[in-house]
Amino acid sequence: MNVSYKWLSHYIDLHGYTGEQLAELMTGGGIEIDVVESRNKGVTGVVVGRVLTKEKHPDADKLNVTTVDVGGAEPLQIVCGAKNVAAGQLVPVATIGAVLPGDFAIKKAKLRGVESQGMICSAKELGLNDKLLPKELQEGILVLPEGTQIGASILDVLGIDDEVLELDLTPNRSDCLSMLGVAYEVGALTGREVKLPDTRVSDSAEQASAHISVRIEAKEQCAHYAARYIKGVNIGPSPLWMQNRLMAAGIRPISNVVDITNFVMLEYGQPLHAFDADKIPDGRILVRLANEGETMTTLDGQERRLEPHMLVITDGEKPLALAGVMGGAHSEVTSSTVNILLESARFEGGTIRKTSRQVGLRSESSVRFEKGVDPARVIPALDRAASLMAQYAGGHVLDGVVEEIAAPAEKTVVTVSIAKINRYLGTSLSKLELETIFSRLQFPFQLSGDGVFTVDVPSRRGDITRDVDLIEEAARLFGYDNIPTTAIEGAATPGALTKPQAIRRELRKRLTDAGLHEVISYSFTHPDRTKLFPSLNGEGVLPVRLALPMSEDRSVLRTSLLPQLLETAAYNRNRKTDDAAIFEIGSVFHTDEETLTRLPQEKHRLAILLTGSRSRAEWNRKAEAYDFYDLKGILETLADVLGVSGSIGYEAAQPEHMHPGRTAAVVFDGERGPVTIGYLGQLHPAVQIEHDLSDTYVLEIELAPIYEDADFAIAYKSLPRYPAMERDIAVVLNREVEAGKLTDAAAETAGELLESIRIFDIYTGEKLGADKKSVALSLVYRHAERTLTDEEVAELHGKVVAKLEQSFAAELRK
Amino acid sequence: MKERLEALRAEALQELQGVDGPQQLNDLRVKYLGKKGALTEILRGMGGLSAEERPVIGQVGNDVRAAIEAVIETKQAAFQQAETENRLRAETIDVTLPGNKLGAGAVHPLNKVAQEIEDAFIGMGYSIAEGPEVETDFFNFEALNLPKNHPARDMQDSFYVTDEILMRTHTSPVQVRTMKAMNGKPVKVICPGKVYRRDDDDATHSFQFNQIEGLVIGPNIRMSDLKGTLLQFVQLMFGKQAQIRLRPSFFPFTEPSAEVDVTCVQCGGHGCRMCKHTGWLEILGCGMVHPRVLEMGGYDPEEVSGFAFGMGVERIALLKYGIDDIRHFYTNDLRFLSQFVRM
C-alpha cells in the first residue's frame, strides 16, 4: 500500500510529523515503511500556461513555434517538439530559471535560429511516472484539464509537493490497506482523532429498488451484497486532484466513475464495482457459483473458462463479473454509459484467493477480499462512492440501498486482565497506561473492579480475536524497547548434543583435519542423476518428485549424495582446481510410492570424493595420486574413532557405474546382523570421462547403523609386562587370494597369543609366475602373564604356516 | 738408556708436531706407543739394568709415554672437532624452503556458523531437536496456526510434493513434533536444519537455506525472558558490545511477534553501507508462542506460556564473514570453501 502524506492528512492531523518521522513512528509501531519517496524529483519554476498559437518552425520539420500565456504581461515564445501540442491547450511550462529533475536548468535558448523562452513539459520531464497515463500523453506533452488556473504552480496543480510512504504490510494488518485504516493506526500512535469522509447522499424521490434487485444464492461465499443505482451520469475524466491521488497510489486514472470506485476503495479498503446498468436485463443481480463449463470475457478482453468453485455475479443467467477479481467486458462502464449499478459486497477471502490464483489475476480488489474487508464499511463505502458520483459525474443517486445480507458480521468481544498482560510481557503496566492505550486504538472497553478489560473489538481489526492479540496491541503501543530484559525463572537445564549430532561433528572434525573440505549441495536434482548409482538406492526405491518444480534440473529429491559430489568435483575442475578431497553429510530421500501417501524415508549419509593428487609435487617430493587405499584408510580411521572398526568389513563388489575391480561393499555387522551400508571404490572409467574427471575414488555410507553402534567408552588396558616375539613369513600363492582372507585365517589359527598381524610387503614378478604373488606377513606373539619360549612360538608359528599352505596352496618363501 | 728415552721423546714430539690427519696420528701412536713400538723396544732392555737403576729408568719411561700420549690426545680432539664441524657444515639446509604441512580442510561455513550458534545455546541449557525435511502440511502449517487458504501462507511459497506433503518451509514443524513428544512437559530446544522456499535464486535469495529456531515452554515464560535470551545470545555470537532492538511484526505462530535487529557488526552501530546507515541489522524473528500453537502441541495456554525465535544461518554467515552472494554457499567452489579453515 502506497500512502500519500497529503491525502492521509485529510483524515488525521499530521502536524509536527514529516514523512520520515511518520515512517519511523509507524515502523516502531509494527507497520513497516520501506521507503518514503518524494513525488517531487526536483521541479521548481514550472507553471500552468495556455498555448495561444502554434506554427511550424521555419527551418525544422519536427519543431513547432508556439506562444504561451503563463499569466505574465507578455506571452512567451516557446519552441516545442511534441507532436500533440495544439493551440488552446493548458500545459506545464518550465519558464526561464525553472529547474527540472536531474538539475536541468531552463535557460533562454535559440533552436534552429528561433528563440525559445522556456519549455513545455511532458509528465516524464516533470519526474512523474508516466506509465499510468494514456499513451498519447506518454509520447507528448502533458495536457491539463480545462479550468486549471493559468500561472499556478504545477507542484500544486499535480499534487507533486507530496511524499509517498510505501507500507510493507504483514498479512494480519490488512486494515491498513485503506487510508482510513492507516489513519486509525496513526491515531493510535499519536493520540489524535480520525476524521471520517462525507458519505451523505442527497434525497431522491425515485426508488433504486424499482430498477435493480439483488439475490445471493452462494451464501457461504458472499456474506453481504449491496447495490445502489445512479442515474444519468456523464462519463468523463475525474478531477485532477483525484487522478493525482490515484497515481500517487499507483493506480491508473480511467474515467470519473471508475476512478471514484478506486478512490473509495483506497479510502475505505472496500472494493467497489460499477456496472453499466443498462447492460443488465431488469437490473437483476444474482450471486452464485459458476456452472461447469461456463465461460465469460473479462474486462481485459480475455475469455475465461470458469470452474464450479468460482463465485460470479450474474444477471440471473449470464456472468457479469468474476466476483472480487475482475469485471466482465459486457457490462463494462464505457464513454456511452448513462446509468450505473454500483456494487459493494463482502466476498469470502479463500474463494477469491483461489480464483485469483487460478486465473492468474491479482488485482487491488482481490488482494483486499483475500485478506478480509471490514463488514462495517460495505454501506459507508457504497454511499461515499454514490455521493462522489453525484458530485463529479453528474449522476442522480436513487433512494435506497438494495441488498441482501446472507451472514451478518459477528461481534468480537475479548477480555484480558491487567495481571495477565503484565505476566505475559514481564512488564508492570498500570491501569491508566492500559486504558490510554485502548482509548487511543479507539477500542471501546469496560474495566471491571478486579482489573479485567472487556473490549468490543472494532470490525476493522479482524486480526484481534484473543487475549494475546490485545496483549500485542498493548506491547507495541507501550513500545517493545520499554519491555525489560529478564532471565528465565526456575531451575537451569543441562544442554547437550544428541549422539548422532556428536558423531556428525566428530566426522566433520576428523575429515577436515585430514585435509578434506565439507560441501553442502542442493537436495533437489535431475531425475537422471538419481539413476547414476542404483546400488546406493536399493531395491524398489523411487525418488520423491516435486509437484511444481522450478526446473527439471531440480525436480526430484536426491536419493544419494554422490552424483552431486561428482558435479562439485567437475565444477572445480572446470575452474582449474583438479585436486579435490571433499565430503558431504546430509539426508537422502527414498520412497517406494509413485504418489506419496506417507513421508519418505530420510537417511543420513556420509559421502567422500577424492580425485587428482593427494599431494602436489613439491621441491622435496613427487606428486602422488589418490588411490583406493587412501579412501579406505579414511573410513578405517573414522571407524576406529567411532569404535566400530570391529563391525565393518569390506567385500569386493561390482555395483553399476563403479570400477568392477576396484570397489568394495562396506558391510556393517552390528546389532542387526550384517548389512551392506554403502560402497567404496573407484568410479567406472566411463563415468569419469563423462564428468571430465581423472581417477576418482568415492564412498557413500549410511550413518544410522553407526549412530546405533558407535561406542565412545574408553576402557584402559594395562601395558604389557612381558616381551613380545616377532616372526615374519612370506608366502607365494595365487594372485586372486585376498589378503584379508589370509590374515583372517592366520589370526584364527594363532589364537589369543597373537597380538597383531600386519602385511608388510606384496610382491609380484616374473620370477614368481604371472598368476602368483608373494605376501609377507609380520606376526607378533605375546603372553600377558609370562615370557614365551622360543619352542612355544616356533610350534604356534608352524601351525600358522601349515594352515596357510593347506588353505591357500601357499608355498613358504625361503 | 735414559738418553735413548729422552731422544725418543724429542723425536716423537717433533714428528707429532707435523701430523696432518687422524690416520697419520694413529700411525704415529702405533710407531711410538704400540706393542711393537719404539718405546716398548727400548724398555725391553730394562732386564739388563741394576736394581737401583730400574725404577729410575722405569719412571723416565712412564714420563715419556705420558708426554707422547698427551700430545696425541690433544691432536685427536682437535681432529674430531674439525671433522664434526665439517660434517655439520655439509648438512646445512635452506630453512626458508616450505615445510611439509598437515592437511587442513574446512567445515562448510554454514555448518561452522550453525555449530557456533548451537554451542551458544547448548551453553544456555538448550537441547537440539531435529526432524524431517519432507513434512506434512499439518506439521508445517496447520499445527502452526496456518490453516489452508490462510493468507500468511503467501509469505512462504512452498514446494509441495502432494496436497498434504511438502518440503518444510521452516524448522518450526520440529517444534511441533517436540511439543507433542514432550507431552505437556517444559521445553527448551533449538531446531537447526535445511528448509525450502520457492524463490528465484539471486545474491540474497536461495530456494534452499538453513534455519535455526528455538522454543521455550514453561509455566511462567515472559516476553521479557525472550528479550533477555536473545540479548545473551547475540552477545555470545557477536561480542559484549552487541545490543538488540525489537520491532513489532507478524508471524501466525506467535503473538506478540517481533523482528529483532542487532547492532551492526561492521560499524558497531554508527551507521555504514552494510546497515544502510541505520546502525542495525535484522537477524531474527521471534515472539510469544501463539495459544493455538500451544493447544495443538498439547499444552494448556492458561497454564503455560512460551517463546520462539528463528534465524537464517545464511544471513548470519553472510554478515559474519562479509560474503556478498548467498549462492557461494551452494556452488562449493574450493577456492571459496578453503577460506574457512581457521578455527
Side-chain angles (χ1 to χ4, degrees):
Chain A
M1 174 84 182
N2 288 351
V3 174
S4 142
Y5 179 94
K6 276 204 167 158
W7 188 6
L8 182 64
S9 67
H10 281 74
Y11 310 102
I12 187 142
D13 177 14
L14 297 177
H15 193 79
Y17 292 94
T18 63
E20 283 293 345
Q21 286 167 334
L22 185 61
E24 202 170 303
L25 182 73
M26 291 182 72
T27 302
I31 304 290
E32 198 177 336
I33 312 290
D34 281 344
V35 202
V36 180
E37 204 170 1
S38 175
R39 288 201 77 206
N40 185 350
K41 306 291 182 208
V43 176
T44 53
V46 180
V47 295
V48 177
R50 186 184 291 282
V51 181
L52 300 176
T53 60
K54 174 192 126 177
E55 275 158 32
K56 279 252 166 259
H57 190 291
D59 294 321
D61 285 350
K62 291 189 176 166
L63 295 179
N64 296 299
V65 180
T66 64
T67 54
V68 183
D69 173 14
V70 294
E74 291 282 316
L76 304 175
Q77 176 175 292
I78 296 176
V79 179
C80 177
K83 271 190 215 157
N84 66 332
V85 66
Q89 285 170 336
L90 287 166
V91 291
V93 182
T95 52
I96 302 302
V99 181
L100 294 179
D103 279 333
F104 175 38
I106 303 299
K107 295 177 193 135
K108 198 182 273 191
K110 270 195 176 177
L111 289 153
R112 294 274 179 121
V114 178
E115 186 175 286
S116 185
Q117 298 167 304
M119 175 176 144
I120 303 176
C121 305
S122 69
K124 199 182 235 164
E125 284 157 346
L126 293 171
L128 297 176
N129 178 0
D130 64 355
K131 293 214 174 57
L132 299 173
L133 292 172
K135 199 158 181 244
E136 70 269 17
L137 293 187
Q138 285 180 34
E139 285 169 355
I141 52 167
L142 183 64
V143 181
L144 301 164
E146 201 52 40
T148 312
Q149 198 196 329
I150 293 170
S153 162
I154 199 71
L155 298 179
D156 297 333
V157 170
L158 295 179
I160 302 177
D161 241 356
D162 193 6
E163 288 175 303
V164 176
L165 282 67
E166 281 182 30
L167 275 53
D168 184 8
L169 291 175
T170 51
N172 61 324
R173 293 305 303 273
S174 54
D175 59 299
C176 287
L177 283 172
S178 66
M179 298 304 289
L180 281 174
V182 175
Y184 276 110
E185 175 68 14
V186 174
L189 294 165
T190 58
R192 294 178 185 176
E193 288 289 318
V194 174
K195 293 171 276 185
L196 294 173
D198 187 1
T199 58
R200 278 169 306 173
V201 178
S202 45
D203 293 339
S204 166
E206 209 177 338
Q207 293 291 318
S209 55
H211 296 269
I212 54 174
S213 68
V214 165
R215 196 162 75 78
I216 303 173
E217 190 183 284
K219 294 191 194 307
E220 275 178 27
Q221 289 79 17
C222 179
H224 188 180
Y225 194 101
R228 272 188 176 275
Y229 193 80
I230 298 113
K231 201 171 171 182
V233 295
N234 288 312
I235 303 297
S238 62
L240 204 53
W241 62 263
M242 188 181 283
Q243 293 188 29
N244 290 336
R245 285 184 188 164
L246 292 180
M247 286 195 284
I251 292 178
R252 180 194 309 272
I254 292 168
S255 69
N256 47 9
V257 166
V258 175
D259 290 358
I260 286 166
T261 62
N262 284 327
F263 178 79
V264 174
M265 174 181 71
L266 292 175
E267 221 176 17
Y268 281 82
Q270 169 66 46
L272 302 169
H273 187 69
F275 295 96
D276 184 332
D278 299 318
K279 302 280 173 60
I280 307 172
D282 306 327
R284 188 172 161 218
I285 293 289
L286 173 69
V287 186
R288 62 161 169 82
L289 290 175
N291 297 322
E292 190 77 55
E294 207 167 8
T295 59
M296 75 170 290
T297 304
T298 45
L299 277 175
D300 52 6
Q302 288 216 45
E303 171 148 335
R304 305 205 180 250
R305 175 164 292 274
L306 306 180
E307 289 186 31
H309 66 79
M310 295 177 176
L311 189 67
V312 284
I313 313 302
T314 70
D315 57 9
E317 298 285 328
K318 283 196 239 28
L320 299 168
L322 201 48
V325 178
M326 196 178 248
H330 174 68
S331 56
E332 183 183 2
V333 172
T334 64
S335 55
S336 55
T337 298
V338 179
N339 300 311
I340 298 288
L341 188 155
L342 183 61
E343 164 201 289
S344 181
R346 191 150 67 87
F347 302 122
E348 194 266 319
T351 306
I352 303 303
R353 181 180 137 101
K354 199 169 170 190
T355 304
S356 88
R357 296 214 142 197
Q358 199 158 343
V359 301
L361 274 175
R362 267 172 82 84
S363 57
E364 293 278 347
S365 155
S366 71
V367 165
R368 285 173 174 78
F369 280 120
E370 276 177 27
K371 298 191 168 161
V373 297
D374 179 359
R377 288 192 192 155
V378 174
I379 300 302
L382 181 65
D383 289 350
R384 168 75 168 156
S387 86
L388 289 174
M389 284 183 194
Q391 203 176 341
Y392 296 106
H396 175 60
V397 183
L398 299 198
D399 187 57
V401 170
V402 180
E403 64 181 329
E404 180 174 344
I405 300 177
E410 281 167 29
K411 211 164 138 52
T412 307
V413 177
V414 179
T415 62
V416 65
S417 69
I418 296 173
K420 175 149 190 193
I421 293 173
N422 284 320
R423 196 173 65 234
Y424 212 70
L425 299 175
T427 49
S428 46
L429 289 166
S430 68
K431 179 179 134 210
L432 180 65
E433 282 172 297
L434 289 167
E435 282 177 324
T436 308
I437 285 171
F438 291 133
S439 302
R440 283 177 155 212
L441 284 163
Q442 301 205 31
F443 287 2
F445 64 87
Q446 285 173 317
L447 179 60
S448 71
D450 55 352
V452 176
F453 282 96
T454 303
V455 178
D456 281 315
V457 180
S459 55
R460 64 170 189 276
R461 290 298 303 274
D463 58 315
I464 291 174
T465 59
R466 301 181 70 133
D467 57 357
V468 289
D469 301 323
L470 289 176
I471 295 175
E472 179 174 64
E473 293 299 301
R476 71 185 185 89
L477 290 174
F478 173 57
Y480 281 11
D481 282 343
N482 299 322
I483 295 174
T485 299
T486 57
I488 296 169
E489 290 170 351
T493 48
L497 294 172
T498 62
K499 190 179 174 191
Q501 288 158 1
I503 288 173
R504 289 201 299 276
R505 282 209 188 183
E506 189 66 22
L507 291 174
R508 260 184 218 128
K509 183 178 174 299
R510 298 283 173 172
L511 288 167
T512 53
D513 284 353
L516 284 80
H517 288 294
E518 186 182 26
V519 305
I520 298 179
S521 313
Y522 290 128
S523 302
F524 300 166
T525 188
H526 192 282
D528 290 348
R529 302 298 290 166
T530 66
K531 294 173 190 153
L532 194 56
F533 299 106
S535 48
L536 290 171
N537 296 349
E539 284 293 302
V541 162
L542 297 170
V544 175
R545 192 178 170 86
L546 299 176
L548 287 167
M550 293 194 298
S551 68
E552 192 63 10
D553 275 346
R554 290 173 186 165
S555 60
V556 299
L557 303 193
R558 60 183 179 186
T559 55
S560 61
L561 303 175
L562 279 186
Q564 281 156 311
L565 281 197
L566 262 56
E567 282 167 24
T568 297
Y571 175 93
N572 280 288
R573 194 176 156 90
N574 286 337
R575 282 154 189 79
K576 306 274 179 245
T577 311
D578 293 345
D579 304 334
I582 52 177
F583 72 98
E584 178 162 11
I585 299 170
S587 289
V588 301
F589 305 85
H590 289 176
T591 181
D592 54 8
E593 298 182 300
E594 288 281 354
T595 305
L596 293 196
T597 61
R598 54 182 188 276
L599 295 183
Q601 276 189 289
E602 293 187 23
K603 299 175 166 182
H604 280 167
R605 285 188 173 177
L606 165 68
I608 301 177
L609 177 147
L610 305 177
T611 187
S613 302
R614 177 197 323 153
S615 54
R616 290 182 313 176
E618 297 286 352
W619 63 273
N620 57 350
R621 63 196 133 109
K622 293 206 173 86
E624 287 174 8
Y626 281 114
D627 66 21
F628 176 89
Y629 299 102
D630 287 322
L631 186 56
K632 185 176 176 188
I634 290 172
L635 185 55
E636 286 171 329
T637 306
L638 296 178
D640 287 344
V641 168
L642 298 177
V644 293
S645 45
S647 314
I648 291 188
Y650 304 88
E651 291 171 5
Q654 286 84 36
E656 202 175 328
H657 292 145
M658 296 291 287
H659 191 304
R662 292 186 176 178
T663 300
V666 181
V667 180
F668 192 84
D669 193 358
E671 280 175 18
R672 290 157 195 256
V675 279
T676 297
I677 60 165
Y679 293 90
L680 148 75
Q682 187 184 342
L683 283 183
H684 196 285
V687 177
Q688 290 180 170
I689 290 167
E690 201 180 303
H691 289 82
D692 192 23
L693 291 170
S694 59
D695 281 1
T696 300
Y697 297 88
V698 295
L699 162 165
E700 179 164 327
I701 56 163
E702 205 76 64
L703 290 177
I706 296 174
Y707 290 161
E708 261 178 48
D709 280 34
D711 185 2
F712 309 152
I714 294 174
Y716 162 74
K717 275 187 271 178
S718 53
L719 300 178
R721 287 157 60 201
Y722 298 94
M725 301 256 223
E726 192 173 338
R727 294 287 181 274
D728 293 349
I729 42 172
V731 287
V732 176
L733 33 63
N734 278 337
R735 229 172 175 169
E736 310 80 77
V737 177
E738 288 177 330
K741 299 246 163 67
L742 209 61
T743 51
D744 284 352
E748 201 187 323
T749 310
E752 58 187 10
L753 290 183
L754 183 73
E755 188 178 71
S756 67
I757 181 165
R758 191 168 62 89
I759 296 166
F760 67 90
D761 191 32
I762 305 256
Y763 169 77
T764 52
E766 274 176 34
K767 272 191 244 164
L768 293 176
D771 56 346
K772 296 282 183 190
K773 67 179 168 189
S774 158
V775 179
L777 301 164
S778 171
L779 294 87
V780 176
Y781 299 92
R782 194 200 299 271
H783 197 291
E785 315 272 284
R786 59 181 173 80
T787 304
L788 289 171
T789 63
D790 279 343
E791 295 72 33
E792 274 179 299
V793 174
E795 191 192 334
L796 196 53
H797 196 63
K799 282 187 190 163
V800 170
V801 173
K803 171 72 183 175
L804 300 185
E805 285 171 341
Q806 263 170 37
S807 302
F808 305 104
E811 282 172 45
L812 199 59
R813 211 166 164 226
K814 301 266 160 49
Chain B
M1 216 172 151
K2 192 180 172 190
E3 291 71 31
R4 281 182 63 202
L5 285 172
E6 291 299 342
L8 180 70
R9 183 205 321 239
E11 183 199 333
L13 293 185
Q14 172 74 33
E15 200 167 354
L16 279 168
Q17 199 76 46
V19 75
D20 65 353
Q23 186 58 45
Q24 198 190 352
L25 187 66
N26 203 41
D27 292 349
L28 290 180
R29 183 208 303 275
V30 174
K31 177 177 173 190
Y32 292 107
L33 304 179
K35 277 183 185 152
K36 292 174 185 166
L39 185 59
T40 317
E41 178 69 34
I42 296 172
L43 291 179
R44 204 168 280 153
M46 289 252 288
L49 290 181
S50 67
E52 293 82 47
E53 268 183 324
R54 207 173 287 159
V56 177
I57 294 301
Q59 184 58 46
V60 173
N62 283 346
D63 287 350
V64 170
R65 174 179 294 276
I68 296 172
E69 273 179 347
V71 172
I72 288 176
E73 250 165 58
T74 309
K75 287 276 177 195
Q76 180 109 30
F79 284 134
Q80 244 162 31
Q81 198 188 338
E83 190 187 309
T84 305
E85 274 168 17
N86 282 338
R87 197 180 70 236
L88 293 182
R89 197 171 302 117
E91 284 172 2
T92 299
I93 57 168
D94 180 351
V95 297
T96 64
L97 282 169
N100 303 329
K101 279 196 186 182
L102 300 178
V107 171
H108 192 283
L110 292 177
N111 284 334
K112 200 171 163 67
V113 168
Q115 289 183 1
E116 224 172 292
I117 297 169
E118 287 166 11
D119 288 342
F121 281 104
I122 287 173
M124 289 159 72
Y126 286 69
S127 312
I128 303 182
E130 293 172 316
E133 292 172 32
V134 185
E135 261 296 1
T136 62
D137 189 88
F138 175 80
F139 280 115
N140 193 74
F141 285 133
E142 282 179 54
L144 289 159
N145 200 28
L146 275 148
K148 292 221 160 92
N149 275 329
H150 191 288
R153 285 196 181 196
D154 279 359
M155 288 167 89
Q156 35 190 352
D157 253 2
S158 342
F159 289 106
Y160 274 89
V161 176
T162 68
D163 284 348
E164 293 301 324
I165 295 175
L166 74 160
M167 303 308 295
R168 66 178 175 193
T169 58
H170 42 196
T171 56
S172 313
V174 185
Q175 300 188 2
V176 180
R177 288 174 178 275
T178 305
M179 282 190 273
K180 288 193 175 286
M182 290 304 279
N183 222 351
K185 290 198 286 286
V187 172
K188 201 170 171 187
V189 292
I190 55 165
C191 313
K194 290 181 187 136
V195 301
Y196 306 85
R197 291 185 196 172
R198 187 176 287 279
D199 228 331
D200 288 326
D201 287 3
D202 61 28
T204 55
H205 295 87
S206 174
F207 69 89
Q208 171 177 323
F209 59 102
N210 287 264
Q211 265 194 341
I212 295 184
E213 296 192 325
L215 175 70
V216 175
I217 298 174
N220 188 25
I221 300 296
R222 302 159 296 182
M223 191 153 169
S224 54
D225 298 336
L226 170 60
K227 280 186 77 174
T229 300
L230 294 177
L231 182 62
Q232 197 182 343
F233 163 68
V234 300
Q235 293 191 341
L236 281 170
M237 198 68 196
F238 299 108
K240 273 279 167 243
Q241 75 296 339
Q243 292 296 317
I244 54 167
R245 179 178 79 171
L246 271 66
R247 286 177 288 112
S249 187
F250 169 77
F251 307 107
F253 24 89
T254 51
E255 187 81 13
S257 305
E259 302 270 13
V260 182
D261 300 333
V262 66
T263 314
C264 179
V265 292
Q266 181 116 328
C267 63
H270 302 297
C272 66
R273 257 186 61 194
M274 189 182 213
C275 59
K276 293 180 188 142
H277 304 283
T278 62
W280 296 97
L281 295 168
E282 187 181 319
I283 58 155
L284 266 157
C286 68
M288 297 297 288
V289 180
H290 197 285
R292 286 283 300 138
V293 175
L294 288 174
E295 282 162 12
M296 282 185 280
Y299 292 86
D300 179 353
E302 294 305 315
E303 297 288 318
V304 297
S305 50
F307 65 71
F309 55 85
M311 65 194 103
V313 178
E314 276 80 352
R315 165 97 179 134
I316 292 179
L318 290 174
L319 294 177
K320 199 173 158 68
Y321 302 124
I323 297 165
D324 56 358
D325 193 327
I326 200 170
R327 287 168 291 199
H328 284 311
F329 292 127
Y330 295 96
T331 40
N332 295 312
D333 191 316
L334 286 165
R335 295 167 301 179
F336 172 78
L337 295 175
S338 58
Q339 292 180 33
F340 298 92
V341 288
R342 279 194 205 168
M343 60 181 287

